[in-house]
Amino acid sequence: QMDSILSKSGANPIDDKNRRLYSAMTLYMDEAVGKLVRALKAKAMWSDTLFIFLSDNGGAIYEPGSGNNFPLRGGKYADWEGGVRTNAFISGGFVPQTRRGTTFSGVVSIADWYGTLCELAGVDMVDHVAERANKWLRPRGLPLLHPVESVPQWGFILNGTNGRPEALHLSEKAVLRWPYKLVTGKQPYTVWTGPLYPNCSTVSDFVEDEGPWFVDLKLFDRKLVMGREKLQDRMTWTQDCGTGGCLYNVANDPEERSNLVDDPGHVRVLVELQKGLQRLNGHTFQPYRGMPVIEACEAGVDNGGFYGPFADIEGWYSPVPTSPGQKAKDAKLKQLFRMVSSQALQKTMFTAVQTLLPLVRRPWARTLDGCSTNKINSSDVPGAATFI
């Protein structure tokens, strides 16, 4: 169907196999959303509906992610705009007529939708359970649970003003205080992709160790690397902004091409953001989340191959219809999970895989993506990646 749409529009077929699949998945999602909207309208529910459509991060531009954030820089796992600035829209009869067809330019964190929906529902967004827990934690000198960090945005969306003028903590390496953004440390996927990305050049470069490899590759929750630091950085398109950081005005320069860090006219902003990031990092809530346990994997098997709650779950899930053949496969899979749950075995397996990975990465890379045409020169492709 995707090929037919492109052909009718006079466009060339998508040459990257993963991108073609990604496009088809997006088309399927679009059709599913359309069916949902038509069903709401058919049942006379659309006039009372607020439809919120958003993404949690930018597209994954590593192989085999197949995302593209053109013309923004970077993608998922990076603090560049391609990783943190996402598309979103609201629709439905609940949206006032005066705001329909307009664009909202205020800063909205994904965490703000919780407060916004609480605001619309007329309920308190305060975490009272956490407040009660803090009464027990405080006298014992234990870390306290933080309050909900969410800004109700509905009023700001209606009047077209920015509800987040103060610093927004993007990560431990980045802070945004509109319109300025400070990015520090090593950042993967420091690249501008073209409009036709990924493409056949991406595939050939990937096989030749030019990246982009997945930056968070793990086995048994331990990080795997492709080689020494310099090679790892090259294959994940990583740039180091250092402790001082890289500074951008993302209102005037959303593609982040003009680093203002050495501009004398921006010294005050730079220092303020550096101090602001340091202050925010001092309040980062990082509770102990426990160790990976085999029960989580077993619950996923029982639930048809989908991860979900695994502790105290009796009666939580509806039974999943399973054929005798599938039951036998599930039993073998559980047995395998129990075998590899040994810490000693996991350590041995991790060491073996890490040792072999540099030797097998090229053959493995050939299996992760493919090109439907002959290899072409990246300089001839308008969608080739541009580095700095």
Side-chain angles (χ1 to χ4, degrees):
Q1 187 178 355
M2 178 59 65
D3 293 339
S4 175
I5 292 173
L6 291 171
S7 178
K8 289 178 181 178
S9 66
N12 293 324
I14 299 173
D15 59 11
D16 181 272
K17 292 182 179 179
N18 286 340
R19 182 64 177 178
R20 181 171 177 264
L21 175 62
Y22 193 97
S23 299
M25 292 165 61
T26 304
L27 177 63
Y28 180 84
M29 178 186 64
D30 184 62
E31 292 177 343
V33 171
K35 288 181 180 179
L36 176 60
V37 171
R38 288 192 293 273
L40 288 169
K41 290 181 177 179
K43 292 184 176 293
M45 298 170 65
W46 185 248
S47 61
D48 296 324
T49 295
L50 175 63
F51 191 97
I52 304 172
F53 192 97
L54 69 153
S55 175
D56 58 343
N57 47 252
I61 65 173
Y62 50 80
E63 287 282 18
S66 303
N68 190 2
N69 305 297
F70 175 83
L72 301 179
R73 189 186 204 182
K76 184 178 180 179
Y77 284 94
D79 291 315
W80 304 119
E81 289 295 272
V84 301
R85 180 186 288 215
T86 67
N87 296 311
F89 67 84
I90 59 174
S91 186
F94 190 81
V95 179
Q97 286 284 353
T98 56
R99 297 302 295 163
R100 297 179 188 180
T102 64
T103 300
F104 178 64
S105 299
V107 176
V108 180
S109 165
I110 192 170
D112 293 341
W113 290 108
Y114 174 77
T116 302
L117 293 173
C118 287
E119 176 187 34
L120 290 170
V123 298
D124 189 357
M125 74 173 191
V126 174
D127 188 345
H128 296 286
V129 174
E131 287 190 341
R132 288 196 297 271
N134 284 340
K135 292 180 180 179
W136 185 89
L137 294 168
R138 188 175 289 107
R140 291 165 174 80
L142 296 172
L144 301 180
L145 299 175
H146 284 215
V148 174
E149 295 183 9
S150 184
V151 175
Q153 291 274 1
W154 189 244
F156 299 108
I157 292 172
L158 293 184
N159 62 35
T161 58
N162 182 16
R164 276 192 175 269
E166 302 301 322
L168 172 60
H169 200 195
L170 298 176
S171 76
E172 291 183 335
K173 294 182 178 181
V175 62
L176 171 70
R177 192 184 69 189
W178 190 259
Y180 293 102
K181 186 172 81 171
L182 178 69
V183 179
T184 67
K186 284 192 170 185
Q187 293 289 333
Y189 313 123
T190 302
V191 62
W192 292 279
T193 55
L196 303 178
Y197 175 92
N199 49 54
C200 286
S201 294
T202 314
V203 175
S204 60
D205 289 346
F206 181 56
V207 172
E208 295 300 322
D209 281 349
E210 296 299 326
W213 275 95
F214 182 41
V215 74
D216 199 31
L217 188 64
K218 292 181 178 179
L219 177 64
F220 302 126
D221 209 33
R222 294 178 62 188
K223 189 178 178 79
L224 292 163
V225 295
M226 293 297 164
R228 294 183 179 180
E229 185 176 10
K230 188 174 181 180
L231 178 61
Q232 175 78 4
D233 288 350
R234 190 185 82 199
M235 292 197 298
T236 54
W237 298 351
T238 295
Q239 172 184 302
D240 192 354
C241 280
T243 57
C246 301
L247 179 67
Y248 299 92
N249 182 326
V250 291
N252 299 333
D253 179 28
E255 297 179 25
E256 296 170 303
R257 294 182 180 270
S258 300
N259 187 359
L260 305 173
V261 73
D262 294 323
D263 185 348
H266 291 85
V267 171
R268 179 179 176 182
V269 171
L270 175 63
V271 172
E272 289 176 349
L273 289 180
Q274 288 171 337
K275 291 181 178 180
L277 179 59
Q278 183 179 20
R279 175 181 56 80
L280 290 167
N281 283 342
H283 296 282
T284 302
F285 183 55
Q286 294 182 324
Y288 174 68
R289 292 179 171 85
M291 297 291 291
V293 292
I294 197 67
E295 289 79 8
C297 299
E298 292 180 334
V301 173
D302 292 336
N303 199 33
F306 296 95
Y307 284 122
F310 62 90
D312 301 322
I313 59 170
E314 186 176 353
W316 175 261
Y317 292 113
S318 300
V320 177
T322 308
S323 66
Q326 186 61 50
K327 286 182 179 179
K329 290 181 180 178
D330 290 349
K332 290 182 179 179
L333 187 57
K334 284 185 176 182
Q335 185 179 12
L336 177 62
F337 286 153
R338 286 190 286 270
M339 286 175 56
V340 300
S341 64
S342 163
Q343 291 292 321
L345 181 58
Q346 288 183 8
K347 183 178 180 180
T348 301
M349 292 177 65
F350 177 87
T351 301
V353 171
Q354 181 60 84
T355 302
L356 291 172
L357 188 56
L359 304 176
V360 302
R361 65 172 179 257
R362 286 196 179 191
W364 184 26
R366 293 188 181 95
T367 70
L368 295 179
D369 201 355
C371 178
S372 60
T373 62
N374 295 327
K375 180 180 177 181
I376 53 179
N377 191 313
S378 62
S379 62
D380 298 330
V381 181
T386 303
F387 299 87
I388 187 167

